[in-house]
Amino acid sequence: MTTQVKKICCLGAGYVGGPTCAVIAYKCPHIQVTIVDLNETRINAWNSDNLPIYEPGLDKVVFDRRGKNLFFTTEVEKAINEADLIFVSVNTPTKKAGMGAGYAADLAYIESATRQIAEVARSSKIVVEKSTVPCRTAESMRTILEANSHDDIRFDILSNPEFLAEGTAINDLMHPDRVLIGGLQTPEGYKAQQALAEIYEQWVPKDKIITTNLWSSELSKLAANALLAQRISSINALSAICEATGADIDEVAYACGCDSRIGPRFLKASVGFGGSCFQKDILNLVYLSEQLNLPEVAAYWKQVVDLNEYQKKRFVSRIIKTLFNTITNKRIAVLGFAFKKDTGDTRESAAITLCKDFIQENARVNIYDPKVSEQQIFYDLSEPGVTYDIKDLVKKRVTVVQSAYEASANADAIVVATEWDEFKELDFERIYKSMNKPAFIFDGRLILDAEKLKSIGFRVHTIGRA
Ligand code: NAI
């Protein structure tokens, strides 16, 4: 079957827009895909050998299609005009000021992208909301599009939230658990849903393509992230009980996960979840619940985020207590800075909170991450502190190094903040010799062999173990 859509434009060349549309170009060589962004540096990087985001398998997909049916450009108007279908994949961060600050999603980027489509378009378009947005955002987008549309031009709006996880994005996109397409329950709405479904049908089995109404689709994305984060906070809450009782969180997680009603995934205890989505989307759900006058529902979901903050603070306080109640001028090697392995993304990474706390306690912090640049680390640790004092403090206290060995030399403690596979393979005998004694390891990701480390001489502290 041939699709009606011949040209696609994607607004936003970020972690979602880039990989998602690159995979569409890869799987649909007959469709021309143009990814645009206002950020010229980002577009230049997409057009270079050094892509702006690290994602296993992404290079192969991009290099295979770039210049053939996949293009990256800042020529937004041209791309909008040529396209039959437009994905809106712009950022929707938590609002920093004004009404709903700290909770609601900032929809300014969505609105300005929508206005731009309305102003520029000279032919009918299917506009697809790919960004994660609060329930009923599509309604606002439709109102803006319709109010600004010219004669004989119609806009059909769809919601097609993205469920990829960073670090496994390409595999998730190639083999999605499901593709969700929400549309208006009108003949035109069904037709637009069908046009988008036909694109995915090029590689996704039909029974995995779910069509729903617009509002179910928008809410399902928030709900899925809330449920996933809730599992992490649940296992992390149990990890605190384990530490106090002598139970072992990995054993508890395994025993619970064997129950087919529960299942094993997302039951790994850790120093806390991070990433650009979980916290933002739950806070968004909390705000939505409050707006709907459902305070008990809001409080329920808010607790998932509160527990996550508690878990990070609890880990820091365990480290300080173990290091004889002071870390002033002690050297701490932080292994990993990305919010999870196989990505260079640091948004909301637990490592940021840990390092900021160590700096406040006057420790010296050596940081090593295989994929995060020194510039990004200094940026994250200096924000939102804008003052030069904080920037100076970070510069004085933090050293970004090129290996775990360099990080650990003369350190008093190692803190594993990200679960990079390479940390499991380190030569810990060598590391032990280079550290101050007693040498401590705090495993915030439960990836190290504690017994082996103890036999070398380390004092090992693992989340979820006494
Ligand atoms: P991002 O910040 O990496 O990328 C967004 C891009 O949009 C930026 O490069 C920005 O310059 C660009 N942009 C903003 N306004 C624009 C406009 N008017 N025209 C053209 N470009 C514009 O954000 P990311 O991570 O890709 O997220 C995008 C959306 O997808 C968010 O709503 C997020 O919640 C959602 N999402 C993110 C996932 C992730 O793993 N990062 C997973 C699933 C959904």
Side-chain angles (χ1 to χ4, degrees), residues 216-392:
S216 302
S217 172
E218 289 178 333
L219 185 58
S220 297
K221 174 63 195 176
L222 292 184
N225 272 355
L227 289 167
L228 289 169
Q230 181 204 40
R231 275 174 78 97
I232 299 175
S233 279
S234 297
I235 204 73
N236 282 344
L238 290 166
S239 76
I241 299 181
C242 287
E243 287 168 35
T245 57
D248 179 320
I249 195 62
D250 271 343
E251 291 178 353
V252 173
Y254 181 72
C256 294
C258 285
D259 186 327
S260 59
R261 294 167 304 176
I262 298 172
R265 299 185 66 193
F266 270 72
L267 285 185
K268 186 80 182 165
S270 70
V271 61
F273 59 74
S276 66
C277 293
F278 281 176
Q279 178 174 307
K280 160 176 89 68
D281 294 349
I282 295 176
L283 293 174
N284 199 334
L285 195 60
V286 170
Y287 185 69
L288 185 71
S289 309
E290 275 166 1
Q291 293 297 298
L292 297 170
N293 202 18
L294 301 168
E296 288 81 1
V297 178
Y300 175 78
W301 288 113
K302 175 74 170 34
Q303 192 57 26
V304 173
V305 174
D306 290 347
L307 200 289
N308 196 50
E309 289 307 307
Y310 165 74
Q311 184 76 348
K312 289 185 260 184
K313 294 290 172 199
R314 212 168 63 75
F315 191 52
V316 170
S317 91
R318 184 172 176 189
I319 293 169
I320 295 173
K321 268 191 202 142
T322 309
L323 293 177
F324 316 110
N325 288 311
T326 175
I327 56 172
T328 298
N329 287 330
K330 288 183 180 157
R331 191 170 293 281
I332 300 187
V334 175
L335 302 191
F337 199 79
F339 84 92
K340 67 192 270 199
K341 74 171 180 177
D342 292 338
T343 178
D345 195 353
T346 60
R347 291 177 290 182
E348 305 297 338
S349 177
I352 299 175
T353 313
L354 303 185
C355 291
K356 280 185 171 173
D357 285 355
F358 297 154
I359 295 164
Q360 288 303 325
E361 294 286 336
N362 284 320
R364 298 185 185 283
V365 187
N366 289 356
I367 302 173
Y368 166 66
D369 187 286
K371 289 290 170 196
V372 183
S373 69
E374 176 169 346
Q375 189 192 14
Q376 184 66 44
I377 291 173
F378 279 115
Y379 174 82
D380 288 331
L381 293 179
S382 305
E383 288 293 311
V386 280
T387 66
Y388 285 107
D389 291 356
I390 289 181
K391 284 192 178 149
D392 280 353

Side-chain angles (χ1 to χ4, degrees), residues 27 48 100 110 125 135 153 170 172 179 246 268 307 313 317 358 373 422 427 430 438:
K27 291 292 186 179
S48 75
I110 290 273
K125 315 276 175 207
C135 204
I153 297 183
I170 298 302
D172 296 343
V179 168
K268 186 80 182 165
L307 200 289
K313 294 290 172 199
S317 91
F358 297 154
S373 69
E422 67 173 62
D427 178 350
R430 173 180 162 192

